[in-house]
Amino acid sequence: MRYLILLGMLMLGGCMKVSDMAESTRYHLSDAGLLDHSDTRRASPWRLQADSFIYIAQGHFVPPGGAHPRPNVVAEEAFNGFVEYFPLVRRARTPLGLEEALGEARSAGAHYLLYSRFAAADDRIGTYDEWADEEALDRLGRDRGVIQMMLIETGSRYLVDTATVRSRGGFLTFYDQKPEELLGPPMRDYARRLLGVSN
């Protein structure tokens, strides 16, 4: 029996690299809801050049419900994700309206404005302290969030792309998570997609 298991693993190892097996396992565990998962939907297949100057801003919109993320958290996480792939990236220090953001992007000399908002956030109970505060069984579970983004060409005000990112925590990683802590990986993924770089 041991030889059959060993033979099976050797056969699988010959077909796939270990890193591919790990990535595939991570993908399937996140899709099943055990690990954090995000889904990014784009409206356009548009790609940007690597030397594009992108200005990142977040709107004033506060998501409905009980979750209250930090005021500029989407812009901060988008900046952290985009700076790995685009050398010319700046972000607004505070939330801005769309016209204000376009004005600041133009004055900075940016080619594109990435304008985002936290459309929905559901901060569930994930720690003992949160349980002590709320004590509601229906509030136990995984955090969820929805981010909406618009990529606008600053010179012509042309809407290049829109994207919606839906993220949720996993059952194995829900302890002490917040909806805004799920934003890092999908922002890096969106930056890669804009460049046309695969995972």
Side-chain angles (χ1 to χ4, degrees):
M1 184 65 176
R2 279 188 253 171
Y3 295 117
L4 288 175
I5 293 172
L6 181 62
L7 182 63
M9 292 186 65
L10 286 174
M11 287 175 59
L12 283 176
C15 298
M16 295 179 83
K17 295 186 292 186
V18 175
S19 61
D20 291 342
M21 289 190 332
E23 182 60 30
S24 177
T25 301
R26 190 206 60 75
Y27 172 79
H28 290 294
L29 286 174
S30 67
D31 193 38
L34 297 175
L35 298 177
D36 296 345
H37 179 73
S38 66
D39 179 39
T40 305
R41 302 284 173 123
R42 291 183 60 194
S44 152
W46 189 284
R47 291 185 180 173
L48 301 183
Q49 295 178 349
D51 61 348
S52 298
F53 184 3
I54 301 172
Y55 191 85
I56 300 171
Q58 178 179 345
H60 295 286
F61 185 80
V62 177
H68 299 287
R70 290 191 325 268
N72 210 28
V73 68
V74 178
E76 292 167 9
E77 291 297 330
F79 177 82
N80 293 338
F82 272 67
V83 78
E84 292 182 38
Y85 300 97
F86 293 93
L88 300 170
V89 180
R90 286 189 56 198
R91 74 169 173 85
R93 295 180 187 269
T94 60
L96 300 171
L98 181 57
E99 292 301 323
E100 292 173 297
L102 276 168
E104 283 198 15
R106 277 195 205 103
S107 65
H111 303 119
Y112 299 98
L113 167 68
L114 180 67
Y115 191 71
S116 59
R117 72 178 190 145
F118 222 133
D122 187 9
D123 186 10
R124 297 290 180 142
I125 296 174
T127 65
Y128 178 78
D129 293 336
E130 290 174 347
W131 172 256
D133 288 344
E134 296 186 39
E135 290 188 11
L137 285 174
D138 62 329
R139 297 286 305 140
L140 283 174
R142 304 173 294 169
D143 296 330
R144 295 176 183 271
V146 178
I147 304 298
Q148 294 173 333
M149 295 180 285
M150 296 186 299
L151 186 67
I152 302 169
E153 194 171 34
T154 55
S156 63
R157 297 175 62 109
Y158 177 72
L159 183 62
V160 174
D161 189 22
T162 60
T164 302
V165 177
R166 297 180 186 281
S167 56
R168 70 170 190 263
F171 281 114
L172 298 178
T173 56
F174 83 99
Y175 179 77
D176 203 17
Q177 288 271 345
K178 300 278 183 210
E180 58 266 26
E181 293 170 1
L182 303 170
L183 298 179
M187 291 301 175
R188 284 190 297 276
D189 178 54
Y190 184 58
R192 280 194 301 264
R193 289 183 185 196
L194 284 175
L195 267 181
V197 177
S198 65
N199 292 339

